[in-house]
Amino acid sequence: MIPRVRSPELPQNYPWLNTDKPLSLKSLKGRVIILDFWTYCCINCLHILPDLKYLECKYQDSLTIIGVHSAKFANEK
């Protein structure tokens, strides 16, 4: 049997955009979560946006997509 691995809590002390308050695991319980790690200079990150939008609209009652900016270069930070 594979041991259960719990996710760490989402950071509360970083800026959150497009939400009125930081999200927590408790508030997202029962939902499917997609973490989308992206950066400004990544063409693949831009190409996936229409697919994420489609999923977000199709499964709006059960899916939450959280974009995580993960800067690769110093000028992106």
Side-chain angles (χ1 to χ4, degrees), residues 1 13-14 16 27 42 45 47-49 52 54 64-65 67:
M1 180 176 205
N13 57 343
Y14 288 105
W16 284 75
S27 69
C42 174
C45 297
H47 285 164
I48 197 67
L49 291 176
L52 292 174
Y54 169 78
T64 298
I65 299 171

Side-chain angles (χ1 to χ4, degrees), residues 42-68:
C42 174
I43 192 66
N44 293 324
C45 297
L46 295 174
H47 285 164
I48 197 67
L49 291 176
D51 296 322
L52 292 174
K53 183 66 174 175
Y54 169 78
L55 291 171
E56 186 176 46
C57 290
K58 183 172 182 176
Y59 300 106
Q60 62 187 353
D61 295 332
S62 59
L63 174 70
T64 298
I65 299 171
I66 300 174
V68 181

Side-chain angles (χ1 to χ4, degrees), residues 4-21:
R4 188 174 194 172
V5 177
R6 298 223 178 251
S7 173
E9 185 55 66
L10 298 171
Q12 302 295 300
N13 57 343
Y14 288 105
W16 284 75
L17 305 175
N18 299 323
T19 183
D20 57 349
K21 63 183 178 196

